[in-house]
Amino acid sequence: MLKDIFAAIAVVFNAIPMAMFSLSYGFAAFPTALGFIVGGLGMILTHQIAPISLQAESIVLAGTISKDRNERLNIIFFSGIVMVILGLCGVLTKTMDFIGPCILSAMLAGVGLMLAKAGFDMLKQNRLVAGVSMASALLTYFVFTKNDLIWTIAVSVVVSTIAHLIRAKVTGDMGDTLQVDMSKEKLIPLKLTVNPHVIRSVLAVCTLQIGGNIAYATITAGLAGSKANVDAITVYSGLADSASSFFGGGPVEAIISGTAVAPHPLVAGLILVAIVAAILLTRTITKIAKYIPAQTISGFLFTLGAFAVFATDAPEALSLDPIVGSVVIIVTSFSDPFIGMVAGLVLKYVMKFFGG
């Protein structure tokens, strides 16, 4: 049981900066706890060990393709509903068969570039914090832990925060720490909005989530030596998304979780979900955010996007079809996964029609 708790706490180091990153895009912490509660109940009812948590890919995508906070919340809300329907109908595997492994891997690689760029752009906002975060993340990932993302995010966030606090102590200036709008930290029903841009954005987010659910849930289950029921995980992660965003919270998705290597993976996953839910419900994260700049996450975003996602998925896509894979990666990185998928499918069938 003690090892289960330790495994859960280790993954909490990933959730806390992700929560602050979510706050930087206008998502509220308190209602996000609803998503974790729904996700935990889903794990219990389906006996799946894959926990849900705040996922950098969904936060970045929803945050960058939306025009304002209300549109952002609508995109996550309707994406959750669509994913629940897909999961209940059991069509996730069929959808992935239609897209094909090349386009799926290329879309994930394109999102990896988006994550890396989001992390790199933070250097312009706060050179000291982002620079220290970047350097410590790369050293931890490549030198000290040999590709351990949990330690990468924990070390980079802690070290860059220390650098920020030292500078603040010397200069007396706390700098541009995240200012949380506490008026949003309550259950405020969503003003539903449907327009062509929201619809297209929902398709983009769903495309990403389909790939993410299959990849991340499968990896997590594999770490525990079990097999994931991707459709079941899609149902409870979709419900968690909709519950969270309807009241102003951020997206919560399946993640690659270190709780899978605990002696009791389901118990460890539930402990993780409970701890993060408590941190969000008590608004502790809003107090922490006053002392930790959002740029502490830059090193993790860059490392995750460039080396854990892009470096893994890009070679896979290019080995299957270098032309289609390249187009999907480029189009996705400059727009979103749905446009990248459409571009890839069109090119794939045009080439097939002309015998390419």
Side-chain angles (χ1 to χ4, degrees), residues 14-304:
N14 177 71
I16 290 176
M18 282 297 107
M20 291 188 291
F21 186 53
S22 178
L23 289 173
S24 71
Y25 276 103
F27 296 113
F30 184 74
T32 304
L34 293 178
F36 279 86
I37 293 172
V38 170
L41 291 173
M43 292 173 65
I44 294 173
L45 294 174
T46 62
H47 301 287
Q48 293 299 302
I49 67 169
I52 54 95
S53 188
L54 292 145
Q55 187 192 89
E57 294 92 324
S58 294
I59 295 171
V60 170
L61 182 58
T64 53
I65 64 178
S66 54
K67 298 175 183 177
D68 53 47
R69 181 175 183 270
N70 185 68
E71 189 172 270
R72 197 166 300 150
L73 292 171
N74 273 276
I75 291 170
I76 298 301
F77 175 74
F78 287 115
S79 296
I81 292 177
V82 172
M83 295 303 289
V84 170
I85 295 172
L86 290 176
L88 288 174
C89 294
V91 299
L92 219 63
T93 303
K94 294 179 181 178
T95 301
M96 297 319 301
D97 289 341
F98 175 71
I99 294 174
C102 172
I103 294 177
L104 170 61
S105 295
M107 287 189 301
L108 291 175
V111 172
L113 290 178
M114 294 170 65
L115 291 172
K117 184 178 185 299
F120 190 79
D121 285 346
M122 288 183 177
L123 284 168
K124 304 173 186 177
Q125 304 165 9
N126 190 325
R127 290 185 179 179
L128 174 68
V129 173
V132 172
S133 176
M134 197 84 69
S136 57
L138 292 174
L139 283 172
T140 303
Y141 187 75
F142 286 110
V143 179
F144 300 123
T145 66
K146 304 300 182 184
N147 307 345
D148 189 318
L149 285 172
I150 293 176
W151 277 107
T152 296
I153 191 171
V155 171
S156 61
V157 169
V158 170
V159 172
S160 57
T161 298
I162 291 173
H164 165 73
L165 293 175
I166 291 175
R167 181 176 64 180
K169 182 70 174 179
V170 173
T171 64
D173 181 14
M174 284 298 290
D176 56 345
T177 51
L178 183 62
Q179 300 300 311
V180 180
D181 184 353
M182 294 305 294
S183 66
K184 299 175 183 176
E185 292 300 324
K186 50 189 175 183
L187 302 181
I188 304 174
L190 175 64
K191 180 182 178 182
L192 297 177
T193 301
V194 179
N195 57 47
H197 181 70
V198 168
I199 293 173
R200 187 176 71 80
S201 298
V202 167
L203 293 174
V205 172
C206 286
T207 302
L208 172 65
Q209 291 178 355
I210 288 171
N213 281 1
I214 289 178
Y216 300 158
T218 301
I219 292 172
T220 297
L223 291 173
S226 62
K227 186 176 181 181
N229 184 332
V230 179
D231 287 314
I233 295 169
T234 297
V235 170
Y236 67 71
S237 66
L239 288 172
D241 261 345
S242 294
S244 172
S245 58
F246 185 77
F247 292 103
V252 285
E253 313 293 341
I255 61 168
I256 299 173
S257 178
T259 55
V261 299
H264 309 95
L266 179 57
V267 173
L270 290 172
I271 293 173
L272 162 67
V273 170
I275 293 175
V276 179
I279 291 173
L280 297 175
L281 283 173
T282 57
R283 299 180 176 86
T284 303
I285 194 69
T286 62
K287 299 174 183 177
I288 296 174
K290 296 179 181 178
Y291 302 97
I292 304 178
Q295 292 80 15
T296 57
I297 199 69
S298 63
F300 173 71
L301 287 177
F302 183 80
T303 304
L304 172 66

